[in-house]
C-alpha cells in the first residue's frame, strides 16, 4: 500500500484518497517575476516524479499547480523593466515552460493564474469578513485575525503565544495584532488593481492559493505540496484561511520537497551561489540535471556542486552504456520471468510506495543493469526483456528515454570536437591499426581521450561516447 509522509502529522501513513482511484493534488507554483532557479527545478521534478509514478500505478491524478502573476516583486520588477505586469509575467511563464520542457517535466492538469481568479478571491475574503475571521483596516487593507483561528500553527507546531511574543509591532501599523496577515492590499499609485467591496486593490499572496485550490479541487482535497520554504507562514496561512471559511479540513496530506544547498551552504543571491535552471543547462545535459534532482529522496536536502553533477553524469552513462547495443528483438513472458524481471519490478514498486523512495528505486535499476550486462553476453531475448523493463521503469522517473547513442555522444557544443570529426579520427585509427602503425593508433586514442571522447573496441567495430 502507498505510504506518504505527512508534514502535518510528522509521520508516514497509508494513503487513503477521498475518492477511490482518484488523487486531487495542489502544489504551490512559482511567482513569475524572474527566471526559475535550481530550487524551483527541485520542486518541479519532485512532484513530476510523484505524478508520473502514481499514474503508472493506475491512479487518476488531477495535478494543479498555480502561477502567482501579481505580487510586490512582480510589480517592482515590471516597473524596473519599464514593461507592464502582464508583459513581464507572460514572458516569465514562457521561460518557465521552456525550462520544464528541457527537464522533461510534464505540464500539470491545470495551471491557474491568480489574476484569473480575482472574483473567487474576493468572495473568499468576504466570507472571512462575514465570519469575523477578517477585518478591513484603516489603511484600506483587509487582514486575517490569526488569534481567532484556534489551530493556527498546527502544520509547523508553532505556538501563537510564542509567535506573538517574538513579533515586532511596527509604527503606524493598522493591524489589530502583529500576527495578522494581509488578504487584500489597497492600491498604491501606478499599481495594477481590481475593484472590491473594500476599494481598489489586489490580493495578498496567501489568499490566492486558498481561492484557486477551492476553485479547482473543492473545499477538501487529498494532497497539498510545495517547496521547503512554504510551511510557515504560507501554508499555515492557507490552512487558517480555508478552514475558517469552509468549516472543514483543507488538505488531508501535506508534502514538502527538501531544499537545495550549494556546496553545503544555503543558495542565495547575496552569497553569489544562486543558479537559474538556464545557467545549469548551459553546462550540463538536461537529463543529467533531472537525474541529479531525482536520485535524492524528495524530502532530503540536495547539495548542488560540480562534483555532484559529474557523479550524476557518470551514473547515467552506466545506464546508457548497458542499454547500448542491445538488439531490438522479440521476447516472451517466459524470457522476462527467467530474467527475474517481475521480482525487480515489484521491488521497484515497493520502494516507490514507501513515500516515493527514489534512491532505493534507482539502486534496483542498477541491479537490473548488472543482470543486463550478463544477458548481453548470453541471451538476446533475455537482454532485450531486461533492457525494455529498465527503460520502462526509468520512464516512471522521467529518465532513460533517449536512445543510448544520442545520450552518450551528445550534441556538438562550441569548442568541442564534432561527431563528424570524431568519426574521421576513428577511421584514421582503423587504418593505422590495419597498417600495424600502433603508435599512431595510440596517439589518436590519446588525442580523443584528451578531449573527453572515450573509445570502446569490440569485434563489431569501435564505438565512442563523450565523458562528463
Amino acid at each position: 500500500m502507498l505510504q506518504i509522509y505527512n508534514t502535518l502529522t510528522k509521520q508516514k501513513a497509508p494513503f487513503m484518497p477521498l475518492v477511490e482511484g482518484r488523487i486531487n493534488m495542489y502544489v504551490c507554483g512559482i511567482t513569475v517575476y524572474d527566471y526559475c532557479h535550481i530550487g524551483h527545478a527541485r520542486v518541479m521534478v519532485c512532484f513530476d516524479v510523484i505524478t508520473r509514478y502514481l499514474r503508472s500505478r493506475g491512479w487518476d491524478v488531477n495535478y494543479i499547480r498555480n502561477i502567482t502573476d501579481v505580487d510586490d516583486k512582480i510589480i517592482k520588477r515590471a516597473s524596473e523593466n519599464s514593461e507592464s505586469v502582464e508583459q513581464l509575467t507572460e514572458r516569465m511563464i514562457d521561460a518557465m515552460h521552456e525550462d520544464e520542457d528541457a527537464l522533461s517535466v510534464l505540464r500539470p492538469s491545470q495551471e491557474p493564474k491568480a489574476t484569473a481568479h480575482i472574483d473567487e478571491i474576493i468572495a473568499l475574503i468576504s466570507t472571512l469578513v462575514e465570519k469575523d475571521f477578517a477585518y478591513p483596516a484603516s489603511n484600506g487593507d483587509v487582514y486575517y485575525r490569526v488569534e481567532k483561528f484556534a489551530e493556527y500553527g498546527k502544520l509547523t507546531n508553532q505556538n501563537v503565544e510564542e509567535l506573538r511574543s517574538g513579533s515586532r509591532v511596527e509604527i503606524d501599523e493598522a493591524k489589530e495584532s502583529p500576527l495578522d496577515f494581509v488578504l487584500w492590499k489597497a492600491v498604491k499609485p501606478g499599481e495594477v488593481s481590481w475593484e472590491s467591496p473594500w476599494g481598489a486593490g489586489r490580493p495578498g499572496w496567501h489568499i490566492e492559493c486558498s481561492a484557486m485550490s477551492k476553485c479547482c479541487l473543492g473545499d477538501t482535497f487529498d494532497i497539498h505540496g510545495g517547496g521547503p520554504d512554504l510551511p510557515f507562514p504560507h501554508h499555515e496561512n492557507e490552512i487558517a484561511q480555508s478552514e475558517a471559511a469552509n468549516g472543514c479540513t483543507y488538505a488531508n496530506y501535506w508534502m514538502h520537497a527538501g531544499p537545495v544547498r550549494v556546496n553545503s551552504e544555503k543558495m542565495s543571491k547575496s552569497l553569489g551561489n544562486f543558479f537559474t535552471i538556464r545557467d545549469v543547462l548551459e553546462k550540463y545535459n538536461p537529463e543529467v540535471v533531472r537525474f541529479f534532482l531525482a536520485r535524492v529522496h524528495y524530502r532530503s536536502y540536495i547539495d548542488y556542486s560540480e562534483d555532484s553533477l559529474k557523479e550524476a553524469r557518470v551514473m547515467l552513462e552506466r545506464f546508457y552504456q548497458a542499454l547500448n547495443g542491445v538488439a531490438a528483438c522479440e521476447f516472451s513472458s517466459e524470457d522476462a520471468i527467467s530474467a527475474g524481471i517481475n521480482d525487480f519490478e515489484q521491488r521497484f514498486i515497493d520502494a516507490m510506495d514507501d513515500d516515493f523512495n527514489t534512491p532505493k528505486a534507482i539502486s534496483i535499476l542498477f541491479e537490473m543493469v548488472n543482470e543486463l550486462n550478463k544477458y548481453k553476453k548470453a541471451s538476446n531475448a533475455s537482454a532485450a526483456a531486461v533492457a525494455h523493463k529498465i527503460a520502462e521503469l526509468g520512464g516512471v522517473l522521467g529518465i532513460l528515454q533517449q536512445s543510448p547513442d544520442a545520450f552518450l555522444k551528445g550534441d556538438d557544443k562550441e569548442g568541442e570536437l564534432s561527431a563528424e570529426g570524431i568519426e574521421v579520427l576513428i577511421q584514421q585509427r582503423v587504418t593505422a591499426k590495419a597498417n600495424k602503425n600502433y603508435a599512431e593508433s595510440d596517439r589518436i586514442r590519446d588525442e580523443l581521450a584528451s578531449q573527453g571522447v572515450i573509445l570502446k573496441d569490440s569485434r563489431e567495430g569501435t564505438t565512442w561516447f563523450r565523458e562528463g
Side-chain angles (χ1 to χ4, degrees), residues 344 369 416:
F344 283 121
V369 163
E416 283 188 342

Side-chain angles (χ1 to χ4, degrees), residues 28-129:
C28 287
I30 294 164
T31 301
V32 285
Y33 73 99
D34 206 343
Y35 292 113
C36 298
H37 56 67
I38 196 67
H40 293 139
R42 175 78 193 288
V43 177
M44 290 174 180
V45 170
C46 280
F47 286 98
D48 183 65
V49 168
I50 288 167
T51 301
R52 283 173 181 263
Y53 175 68
L54 292 172
R55 287 175 176 163
S56 77
R57 299 297 298 147
W59 291 94
D60 177 13
V61 182
N62 185 21
Y63 172 24
I64 312 299
R65 192 188 64 211
N66 75 293
I67 294 173
T68 295
D69 60 343
V70 60
D71 171 86
D72 290 339
K73 293 177 181 179
I74 291 172
I75 292 170
K76 182 175 183 292
R77 181 61 56 84
S79 176
E80 292 170 350
N81 293 352
S82 299
E83 61 183 330
S84 70
V85 165
E86 186 176 6
Q87 287 172 327
L88 171 64
T89 57
E90 288 304 313
R91 187 161 54 82
M92 290 297 103
I93 290 169
D94 289 344
M96 176 186 72
H97 287 155
E98 289 171 4
D99 291 341
E100 287 181 314
D101 291 345
L103 293 172
S104 298
V105 172
L106 304 175
R107 301 289 167 83
S109 308
Q110 296 181 60
E111 248 180 344
K113 297 179 186 176
T115 57
H117 291 81
I118 298 299
D119 290 345
E120 291 91 341
I121 290 169
I122 291 172
L124 187 56
I125 296 172
S126 296
T127 298
L128 290 168
V129 171

Side-chain angles (χ1 to χ4, degrees), residues 49 53 291 294-297 315 319 344-369 389-390 393-394 396-397 399-400:
V49 168
Y53 175 68
F291 182 70
R295 64 184 282 248
V296 176
H297 191 274
M315 293 173 78
F319 279 118
F344 283 121
E345 183 172 23
Q346 186 58 54
R347 289 170 58 211
F348 180 94
I349 291 168
D350 290 344
M352 293 298 287
D353 273 350
D354 183 16
D355 195 33
F356 310 102
N357 191 338
T358 54
K360 189 171 182 179
I362 289 169
S363 73
I364 292 163
L365 292 180
F366 273 119
E367 290 182 40
M368 295 178 73
V369 163
K389 186 56 67 174
I390 289 173
L393 296 179
V396 171
L397 306 178
I399 59 172
L400 306 181

